[in-house]
Amino acid sequence: MDVAIIGAGPAGCRAAQLLAARGARVTVFDPSHPREKACGGGVTGRALALVADAVRQADVPVTVIRTVRFTDSRRGDSAIVPLEDHGPTAASALLVASRATFDQALLSAAVRAGAILQPAGVTRIDMEAEGVRLTTTQGRHRADFVIGADGANSLLRRTVAQPFRRDQLSIATGFFAHGVTSDEIVIEITADPPGYIWSFPRPDHLAIGLCAQADAGVTTGALRARAAEWIRATRIAGTAPLTPYSWPIPSLRASDLHALDVAGPRWLLLGDAAGLVDPITREGIYFALASGEWAADALGGNAPDRTFAARVRDEAIPELARAARLKAGFFRPAFTGLMLLALQQSPAVGAVMADLVAGRQSYAALKWRLLRTLEFGLAWRVLRERRRAGLPGH
Ligand SMILES: Cc1cc2nc3c(=O)[nH]c(=O)nc-3n(C[C@H](O)[C@H](O)[C@H](O)COP(=O)(O)OP(=O)(O)OC[C@H]3O[C@@H](n4cnc5c(N)ncnc54)[C@H](O)[C@@H]3O)c2cc1C
């Protein structure tokens, strides 16, 4: 079978590697490599475990994250939570890599397995009775099947399904701060607009950013100014030179997730193109890699579109939809203030948040596990009493 894959990010590279290894003739189209991608670069242990065969430690320098600092920069308050550190391996909770080296390692693994990289952009896709015709910046190409791993602005999505609406996207914007690093990520949850600011240290720079729902009434410029103000206030980057970036992230509601169009005759959508990103943490690399595997498995069988859609429905949607339902409460000021207080007082609450950051905490059990911790109940009471006494409740 001839398979054309549009996009050599984590989703496309993983599908290409596995399909080529299983004997398919695979051509991957992407003109962008080598490239950095606007991204935190946070690779959870569970994501790295999926590509342990493809990512050689020597090729991908990573920062192993030892702590998460949750901050409230306006009050000068913070809480530090330890993360599990087993060195640069999938047993660690969170590693941070430059997307230039991480994606290059995945692409090299795909090419080693036999996939062909065409450094061309796809400009048009025609679905025909007998196959698929692609028009690219370097000519035409025919295939039996096309996979769209072409990110949030996916051309395949726009051709065979609906593009994401504005209310289905987050804007993420910020700066790379060159020459600074750390072994701590910093997260500040913001209530207005509901979202968060982060600093993720790659081996030789920080990826600092801020994201908010695209229909929250804030412009990219305003968000970037807020990120710049945060960098100044926290002095996190010192005098490091800053390079700006911005990029959309699919962040869907539960109802949208349940209605997702991810496959049809001769086509599949993976990763961001499919909309598979955690709407709270914005973890997308794991789902990109996992969907690449599901695509390769599905193409080996009889009804690839139905098999793939069922896998997405069963293995990704329940978790993402739960996150989407919890999201509004998560960024509420009362919850944010309470969370910082609880994190300061309770190692048990810290452990829950550490697991959430590492993608190890299911949303099905999140509320229950938080409320179950005595300390969280205690913090809730302290907050309530402070409010009753007219003291700031954080
Ligand atoms: C600011 C920001 C921070 C983030 N932080 C994290 C994080 O820390 N951890 C995490 O897990 N996720 C994070 N995400 C999400 C993560 O970046 C994505 O979910 C992930 O990259 C999705 O992988 P993908 O392979 O689906 O698509 P992408 O990585 O977007 O790759 C798509 C590829 O398709 C190519 N392409 C697009 N159109 C065409 C075309 N017409 N022809 C040929 N090629 C094309 C592009 O060049 C690109 O290389 C973040 C996202 C943003 C924007």
Side-chain angles (χ1 to χ4, degrees), residues 140-196:
R140 297 215 163 154
H141 183 89
R142 276 192 55 79
D144 300 313
F145 209 97
V146 61
I147 293 180
D150 43 350
N153 297 322
S154 168
L155 176 65
L156 183 60
R157 167 170 278 285
R158 283 183 275 131
T159 306
V160 294
Q162 295 295 316
F164 293 121
R165 300 185 310 267
R166 200 167 164 72
D167 64 290
Q168 295 177 316
L169 294 168
S170 305
I171 307 171
T173 186
F175 298 91
F176 296 121
H178 301 280
V180 196
T181 190
S182 164
D183 57 10
E184 178 170 85
I185 62 168
V186 182
I187 294 178
E188 176 150 338
I189 298 176
T190 62
D192 181 23
Y196 63 94

Side-chain angles (χ1 to χ4, degrees), residues 36-187:
E36 190 50 86
K37 174 181 184 296
C39 183
V43 180
T44 54
R46 69 172 178 164
L48 191 61
L50 289 180
V51 283
D53 61 334
V55 175
R56 295 191 287 223
Q57 266 182 36
D59 298 337
V60 186
V62 294
T63 307
V64 182
I65 302 302
R66 302 207 159 85
T67 49
V68 187
R69 179 189 293 268
F70 291 92
T71 61
D72 180 342
S73 59
R74 296 194 174 167
R75 294 175 193 281
D77 210 358
S78 67
I80 296 176
V81 172
L83 288 188
E84 248 184 272
D85 164 15
H86 298 281
T89 68
S92 287
L94 184 68
L95 305 120
V96 182
S98 151
R99 287 292 301 273
T101 53
F102 185 71
D103 290 20
Q104 185 61 55
L106 297 174
L107 180 55
S108 301
V111 170
R112 279 198 303 276
I116 293 168
L117 172 68
Q118 272 291 337
V122 176
T123 53
R124 182 184 163 112
I125 304 158
D126 290 291
M127 307 299 296
E128 298 175 338
E130 298 301 313
V132 183
R133 190 153 44 89
L134 303 184
T135 308
T136 82
T137 50
Q138 291 183 3
R140 297 215 163 154
H141 183 89
R142 276 192 55 79
D144 300 313
F145 209 97
V146 61
I147 293 180
D150 43 350
N153 297 322
S154 168
L155 176 65
L156 183 60
R157 167 170 278 285
R158 283 183 275 131
T159 306
V160 294
Q162 295 295 316
F164 293 121
R165 300 185 310 267
R166 200 167 164 72
D167 64 290
Q168 295 177 316
L169 294 168
S170 305
I171 307 171
T173 186
F175 298 91
F176 296 121
H178 301 280
V180 196
T181 190
S182 164
D183 57 10
E184 178 170 85
I185 62 168
V186 182
I187 294 178

Side-chain angles (χ1 to χ4, degrees), residues 1 5 26 63 92-93 118 203 208 261:
M1 182 192 280
I5 300 182
V26 180
T63 307
S92 287
Q118 272 291 337
I208 301 170
D261 240 353

